């Protein structure tokens, strides 16, 4: 149970420690506002919330000692708004103000908007394909090691 809680809480706790820009730093505040707008256009909060729901379903199976109420409360707190706020410092750290503006400019074009709408499905399908590949690879390696008497 402790491991499950650490896996769930640690990333959010680390990201929450990222320093916020100083209130008098107009450029940093403008960048932060552009990042929030970008994340809104990308539907990042909704996408992250969907991912959290899928992760919680998998964690329920792996952590049967936790009551269902734990997961209900967890998902109630994992709102798109909170998940978006967690992402803001990550974007601040990794993108320049100009990169954010360029990404936002693209995301608000008709093609960019169409791509943004498709990204959650693309990500979900890519993740499923990666999981299937990983399972198949794991089985192949296990069979090989078993045949060699190493398992």
């Amino acid at each position: 149970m402790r491991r499950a809680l650490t896996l769930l809480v640690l990333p959010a706790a680390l990201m929450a420690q990222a320093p916020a820009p100083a209130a008098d730093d107009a450029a940093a505040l403008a960048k932060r506002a552009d990042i929030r707008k970008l994340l809104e256009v990308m539907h990042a909060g909704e996408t992250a919330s969907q991912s959290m729901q899928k992760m919680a379903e998998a964690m329920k199976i792996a952590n049967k000692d936790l009551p269902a109420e734990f997961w209900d409360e967890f998902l109630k707190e994992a709102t798109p708004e909170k998940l978006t706020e967690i992402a803001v410092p990550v974007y601040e750290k990794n993108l320049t103000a100009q990169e954010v503006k360029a990404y936002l400019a693209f995301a608000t074009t008709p093609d960019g908007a169409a791509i943004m709408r498709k990204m959650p499905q693309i990500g979900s399908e890519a993740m499923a394909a990666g999981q299937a590949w990983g399972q198949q690879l794991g089985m192949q390696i296990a069979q090989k090691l078993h045949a060699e008497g190493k398992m």
Side-chain angles (χ1 to χ4, degrees), residues 102-150:
Y103 197 177
L104 186 56
F106 168 71
T108 57
T109 66
D111 287 337
I115 290 169
M116 292 300 135
R117 282 191 303 275
K118 295 174 184 176
M119 288 310 292
Q121 183 64 32
I122 291 169
S124 180
E125 289 180 24
M127 185 182 299
Q131 288 173 341
W133 175 80
Q135 288 174 344
Q136 182 183 11
L137 179 61
M139 291 295 291
Q140 289 173 350
I141 293 169
Q143 289 172 351
K144 176 185 174 198
L145 293 176
H146 183 66
E148 293 173 357
K150 297 179 181 176

Side-chain angles (χ1 to χ4, degrees), residues 25-144:
D25 189 351
L29 290 174
K31 178 182 175 183
R32 184 169 266 225
D34 284 345
I35 289 169
R36 283 193 179 97
K37 186 172 182 177
L38 175 62
L39 292 170
E40 180 183 323
V41 169
M42 294 171 57
H43 307 284
E46 294 86 358
T47 302
S49 183
Q50 291 170 1
S51 294
M52 293 293 271
Q53 288 174 356
K54 288 180 183 179
M55 187 231 18
E57 290 170 14
M59 295 294 286
K60 278 183 193 180
I61 294 167
N63 296 284
K64 293 181 181 176
D65 55 326
L66 293 174
E69 292 82 11
F70 173 87
W71 300 108
D72 294 340
E73 289 295 318
F74 179 84
L75 291 174
K76 187 170 33 172
E77 292 296 322
T79 65
E81 295 79 18
K82 286 181 184 176
L83 296 169
T84 297
E85 282 306 308
I86 290 168
V88 170
V90 177
Y91 278 73
E92 281 181 313
K93 177 183 170 192
N94 290 286
L95 297 175
T96 66
Q98 181 55 39
E99 290 167 336
V100 173
K101 286 184 182 303
Y103 197 177
L104 186 56
F106 168 71
T108 57
T109 66
D111 287 337
I115 290 169
M116 292 300 135
R117 282 191 303 275
K118 295 174 184 176
M119 288 310 292
Q121 183 64 32
I122 291 169
S124 180
E125 289 180 24
M127 185 182 299
Q131 288 173 341
W133 175 80
Q135 288 174 344
Q136 182 183 11
L137 179 61
M139 291 295 291
Q140 289 173 350
I141 293 169
Q143 289 172 351
K144 176 185 174 198

